[in-house]
Amino acid sequence: MVQILLIALVAVLAGGLMYAMAAARVVKQYERGVVLRLGRLHDEVRSPGLTMIVPGVDRLRKVNMQIVTMPVPAQDGITRDNVTVRVDAVIYFKVVDAASAVIQVEDYRFAVSQMAQTSLRSIIGKSDLDDLLSDREKLNQGLELMIDSPAVGWGVQIDRVEIKDVSLPETMKRSMARQAEADRERRARVINADAELQASKKLAQAAQQMSTQPAALQLRLLQTVVAVAAEKNSTLVLPFPVELLRFLERAQQGQQPQPVGAGEQRTGPEQPAGTADPSAVDPLTPSDGDPSAADPSVTEQTFTDQPLPDTPLREPEAEPDGVPEFDPELLPEFDPAKGAGRSRSERFTRH
């Protein structure tokens, strides 16, 4: 009798052990357990750790609560400005309600993937090409809102959606490259023109400063010569000396002589009008160059081809004291040979 009781006790213990092994379940920390008892949802969601179910009656489904990274396949679409593009993205989501993720949708991963693809195509058709390339943050927010709206009922929360790559046709790439090159060239020309304007203003100021100091121009010329001479593959040739520049400067700064009109005698600054200039040289001086043969009473006068004025000539003014009277015997003898060879370009003198 005792033996029968021991056998029954061992059988009960073995059956209890087998039942415990069949009913025990382990839920991990990042999971939650949803129990379906006879096909109906049990009110309590099992927490992480060891949990027990009724074998053959309850069915435990574990739901991962971690953030899931799911790539969205590349989608072909036409933008609002009629450009064919190919866009792919990546979506980050997680389950916040395990019971809804099991009951409300058959496969929440597949559902989220299909919703992301359709939303991506919709966002491509509503956007321009420039928005896809430069304003992606705004598109990401719009895409996240479009996917998150139906996913809330599935117990899924969309954390983030990012557009990964935008593929363009080759023709569009070449057009954009030409546009960027033209824009760069325009900016370069504007910068160059601005530099020329600033340089012209500085050169004008430098020229104004050099005009007050003529020696600065010569120093600048010497600096230019030194800079050019530093190049070993160049030859420097100065066609005129620097002293010529100084002579031209003195000539410009000097007083210009007053032209002598017809019928007027040339007078010096301290010599009274009508007196003879002893330093004047008579063009009729003999070719032997003897200055003693020249008459000091001869006054030089310029010959002109202009006609005489219609107004009557003025009466000769009285000569001042000390001027010798006219003497016909002092006239030089006329030489026919010299008179015949005189050109109209030589000056004519009279006593």
Side-chain angles (χ1 to χ4, degrees):
M1 186 67 183
V2 177
Q3 187 178 3
I4 296 175
L5 292 176
L6 290 176
I7 293 174
L9 181 59
V10 171
V12 171
L13 291 177
L17 182 59
M18 292 180 60
Y19 178 80
M21 292 179 60
R25 295 289 186 272
V26 177
V27 180
K28 297 179 182 180
Q29 181 65 36
Y30 54 85
E31 294 177 341
R32 297 294 184 272
V34 178
V35 179
L36 298 176
R37 181 168 294 176
L38 298 177
R40 298 182 65 178
L41 177 65
H42 196 271
D43 295 338
E44 183 182 359
V45 176
R46 304 301 172 88
S47 301
L50 181 62
T51 183
M52 302 297 291
I53 62 173
V54 179
V57 178
D58 295 342
R59 185 177 180 182
L60 180 65
R61 293 190 60 177
K62 299 178 182 179
V63 180
N64 192 341
M65 306 296 290
Q66 292 177 321
I67 295 178
V68 181
T69 303
M70 178 181 294
V72 181
Q75 302 297 315
D76 295 329
I78 300 177
T79 61
R80 190 166 58 180
D81 50 355
N82 298 327
V83 179
T84 304
V85 294
R86 186 179 180 87
V87 183
D88 58 352
V90 60
I91 182 172
Y92 303 89
F93 67 94
K94 65 179 180 180
V95 177
V96 294
D97 189 356
S100 299
V102 174
I103 302 300
Q104 299 296 332
V105 63
E106 179 182 4
D107 187 355
Y108 66 89
R109 289 177 177 263
F110 181 76
V112 171
S113 176
Q114 295 299 317
M115 180 58 64
Q117 295 181 27
T118 55
S119 300
L120 183 58
R121 290 186 180 181
S122 177
I123 207 71
I124 290 173
K126 294 179 181 179
S127 305
D128 295 333
L129 179 61
D130 295 337
D131 297 335
L132 289 175
L133 297 177
S134 60
D135 196 6
R136 291 190 180 183
E137 188 65 27
K138 182 179 179 181
L139 297 180
N140 293 336
Q141 295 177 0
L143 188 59
E144 178 182 350
L145 182 61
M146 293 177 65
I147 302 175
D148 188 62
S149 297
V152 172
W154 305 336
V156 178
Q157 178 182 356
I158 306 300
D159 284 348
R160 191 175 184 85
V161 181
E162 293 286 345
I163 296 177
K164 293 175 58 178
D165 187 21
V166 179
S167 300
L168 300 176
E170 294 297 330
T171 55
M172 181 59 63
K173 291 182 180 179
R174 289 194 293 267
S175 300
M176 295 177 65
R178 289 194 299 268
Q179 179 183 0
E181 184 179 358
D183 184 67
R184 291 288 181 179
E185 186 177 357
R186 178 186 63 84
R187 293 170 58 184
R189 290 184 178 180
V190 170
I191 294 174
N192 190 16
D194 191 13
E196 291 292 339
L197 178 60
Q198 296 180 5
S200 63
K201 293 181 179 179
K202 295 299 182 181
L203 289 176
Q205 295 178 3
Q208 184 178 4
Q209 185 67 23
M210 287 184 178
S211 62
T212 58
Q213 298 293 336
L217 182 61
Q218 299 180 8
L219 295 177
R220 184 60 183 168
L221 176 61
L222 294 177
Q223 292 178 359
T224 305
V225 171
V226 172
V228 175
E231 299 293 336
K232 297 182 180 180
N233 56 352
S234 61
T235 303
L236 181 62
V237 178
L238 293 177
F240 54 86
V242 181
E243 296 297 328
L244 182 59
L245 296 177
R246 298 179 180 176
F247 174 75
L248 295 177
E249 292 178 0
R250 290 195 298 267
Q252 292 179 358
Q253 295 177 0
Q255 183 179 3
Q256 299 293 338
Q258 298 294 334
V260 180
E264 297 180 2
Q265 293 182 355
R266 180 177 298 176
T267 59
E270 298 180 356
Q271 184 179 1
T275 60
D277 188 2
S279 62
V281 180
D282 189 2
L284 299 179
T285 304
S287 59
D288 55 359
D290 186 5
S292 60
D295 193 350
S297 63
V298 177
T299 304
E300 182 180 357
Q301 189 172 5
T302 305
F303 177 76
T304 178
D305 293 339
Q306 298 179 357
L308 294 176
D310 297 336
T311 58
L313 298 177
R314 296 179 300 175
E315 293 294 334
E317 299 178 356
E319 295 182 353
D321 297 340
V323 179
E325 298 181 357
F326 176 73
D327 191 359
E329 295 180 359
L330 296 178
L331 291 175
E333 296 181 0
F334 176 74
D335 190 355
K338 294 183 179 180
R342 183 180 299 273
S343 62
R344 295 178 60 89
S345 63
E346 295 181 0
R347 293 181 296 178
F348 175 77
T349 58
R350 67 177 182 179
H351 294 282

